[in-house]
Amino acid sequence: GRGKMAAGGAADAQARFGHSVKGLLTEKVTSCGTDVIALTKQVLKGSRSAELLGQAARNMVMQEDAILHSEDSLRKMAIITTHLQYQQEAIQKNVERSSSLQDQLNHLLK
């Protein structure tokens, strides 16, 4: 009867061991799954931030283009303004000349 008891005790210990190994494995699988989920979230977050960085870079390039275009327009407008000032001065001189001519004509016609 003693051998049977020892065999029964050994089987019992083996069952307990198997159970604890199962428990450990389940725990490990669960924590591994959690780690995979965390890693996936991190990777997605990383790719999202890379996407946002790319978008920001594209926006900066567009703004830079707009600024350069504005500078160009301002330069052209400054040149046009200078030309207009010259034309205004020329017109003013002509007006002065014509009024002095008018005076001379009036004087002659008297």
Side-chain angles (χ1 to χ4, degrees):
R2 214 166 207 201
K4 257 193 186 164
M5 286 260 302
D12 196 35
Q14 206 170 355
R16 272 203 315 266
F17 179 73
H19 196 69
S20 72
V21 165
K22 248 190 218 167
L24 279 172
L25 272 174
T26 306
E27 221 174 278
K28 279 283 173 206
V29 167
T30 305
S31 85
C32 192
T34 307
D35 289 349
V36 166
I37 290 168
L39 182 65
T40 306
K41 279 183 183 170
Q42 201 58 42
V43 167
L44 287 173
K45 201 188 286 180
S47 72
R48 180 87 183 108
S49 65
E51 202 178 299
L52 289 173
L53 273 173
Q55 188 64 50
R58 280 192 292 279
N59 288 345
M60 274 183 70
V61 167
M62 279 166 60
Q63 283 179 340
E64 201 177 4
D65 280 353
I67 289 168
L68 289 173
H69 186 72
S70 300
E71 277 182 349
D72 199 38
S73 296
L74 281 171
R75 216 173 286 121
K76 284 174 184 165
M77 281 163 67
I79 291 167
I80 292 169
T81 306
T82 306
H83 282 297
L84 286 172
Q85 282 171 341
Y86 287 143
Q87 286 177 5
Q88 187 197 0
E89 284 168 21
I91 291 168
Q92 219 161 348
K93 278 179 190 157
N94 283 334
V95 167
E96 283 165 16
R97 269 197 215 115
S98 71
S99 71
S100 92
L101 276 174
Q102 191 90 44
D103 288 347
Q104 285 174 22
L105 275 173
N106 286 339
H107 201 69
L108 284 171
L109 293 172
K110 273 182 183 173

